[in-house]
Amino acid sequence: MEGPGLILAVGLALIHAFVSKRNIFAFIPEHRWLSFAGGVSIGYVFLEIFPELSHAQEELEHSAVPLMAYLENHIYIIALVGLLIFYGLDIWALNSRKFNRENHNSDSTDTITFWIHIAFFSVLNIIVGYLLQDIGEHSLLQCILFFVAIALHFFIVDRSLREHHSMPYDKQGRWILTGAIMVGAIAGQAFHLSEVTVSLVWSFLAGSIILNILKRELPDEQQSCFFSFLGGTILYAGLILSS
């Protein structure tokens, strides 16, 4: 693995392990922070994820694998599957919390829901860690921009998982997700998947990221600051286009 990939893997792991527990809202108003992060995330979706999905489809179109003959024009289906799976998991977690509030006076999920939720997010983190193996091919600015976008994404996802699962997440979940990133990073160093497989894996990851951004990182109108959102979008888009 290239040096930058390992450094970014450690940095992203620290988001889950320690940084996400810091109360940054004591320094920055919550609505401004979430709006700015949402703006950055939207810039990331339109200027990074969508182009990467297009590139993934091109990889499949040039694949000699027979199974890919059907998928070559349907790469977005893989992204859609990722989106639907994580949407379903989120609804499951919300229903579990609702049931526990009504029957057990507890605003957190049950144990099974917690472990299934953590298992799927661990898979995502392994994928992210694995894909960092190629980060060394990009410029320093591109590496920094990628880290900022994913770090903000991790921070807000971490906040959501803590809201769903409370103490079990702090005691076990965040450490599992921390380890998952490093497992993926080590796997990226140990072996390399084919371009077609990487394209499929990336598409699944992209779908889940899009869902999490739309559901968690875009604040509603009562908790948003348009100028912070606009500032985050313009700043990130400008840096991406100039990199």
Side-chain angles (χ1 to χ4, degrees):
M1 177 185 296
E2 300 289 341
L6 181 58
I7 293 172
L8 292 184
V10 172
L12 292 174
L14 290 175
I15 297 294
H16 282 307
F18 303 109
V19 178
S20 63
K21 291 202 70 177
R22 303 302 96 193
N23 183 21
I24 64 168
F25 301 129
F27 307 98
I28 305 173
E30 181 175 0
H31 71 289
R32 292 187 181 277
W33 161 251
L34 292 179
S35 295
F36 181 83
V40 170
S41 297
I42 282 296
Y44 180 68
V45 166
F46 278 89
L47 299 178
E48 288 290 335
I49 291 183
F50 286 165
E52 283 294 333
L53 284 176
S54 178
H55 174 71
Q57 182 159 323
E58 290 179 6
E59 291 291 340
L60 290 183
E61 288 174 353
H62 294 90
S63 170
V65 181
L67 178 61
M68 297 302 107
Y70 173 75
L71 290 176
E72 65 181 11
N73 294 317
H74 299 81
I75 190 64
Y76 292 98
I77 290 179
I78 307 298
L80 179 60
V81 169
L83 186 150
L84 290 174
I85 287 175
F86 281 86
Y87 181 70
L89 287 171
D90 204 59
I91 295 299
W92 186 359
L94 289 171
N95 288 336
S96 176
R97 289 175 61 191
K98 180 180 179 182
F99 178 84
N100 285 339
R101 279 197 304 269
E102 294 174 349
N103 296 276
H104 303 293
N105 196 30
S106 172
D107 190 19
S108 62
T109 62
D110 58 74
T111 302
I112 294 177
T113 303
F114 166 72
W115 284 112
I116 292 177
H117 222 173
I118 292 301
F120 274 91
F121 274 95
S122 294
V123 170
L124 287 191
N125 280 12
I126 290 172
I127 293 173
V128 170
Y130 179 87
L131 294 177
L132 288 174
Q133 64 175 300
D134 296 325
I135 201 71
E137 299 175 2
H138 301 282
S139 68
L140 177 60
L141 178 58
Q142 289 174 323
C143 291
I144 293 173
L145 291 175
F146 172 83
F147 178 81
V148 169
I150 297 298
L152 287 173
H153 176 70
F154 274 15
F155 193 98
I156 294 177
V157 167
D158 217 66
R159 181 170 173 264
S160 176
L161 290 174
R162 184 170 288 108
E163 181 181 346
H164 279 322
H165 307 297
S166 302
M167 191 174 296
Y169 181 75
D170 277 333
K171 285 188 173 182
Q172 298 169 297
R174 66 189 175 107
W175 298 111
I176 294 172
L177 297 185
T178 298
I181 296 174
M182 299 312 300
V183 167
I186 293 170
Q189 185 177 20
F191 61 87
H192 297 276
L193 300 174
S194 68
E195 288 293 327
V196 172
T197 303
V198 170
S199 295
L200 293 174
V201 168
W202 163 251
S203 300
F204 178 80
L205 173 65
S208 68
I209 290 177
I210 290 171
L211 180 278
N212 287 321
I213 287 173
L214 294 177
K215 188 169 179 63
R216 295 188 173 93
E217 298 180 42
L218 292 184
D220 61 38
E221 64 276 5
Q222 295 180 343
Q223 297 179 317
S224 64
C225 173
F226 174 74
F227 291 106
S228 296
F229 179 85
L230 182 64
T233 304
I234 292 175
L235 177 62
Y236 191 82
L239 291 172
I240 282 288
L241 294 175
S242 65
S243 64

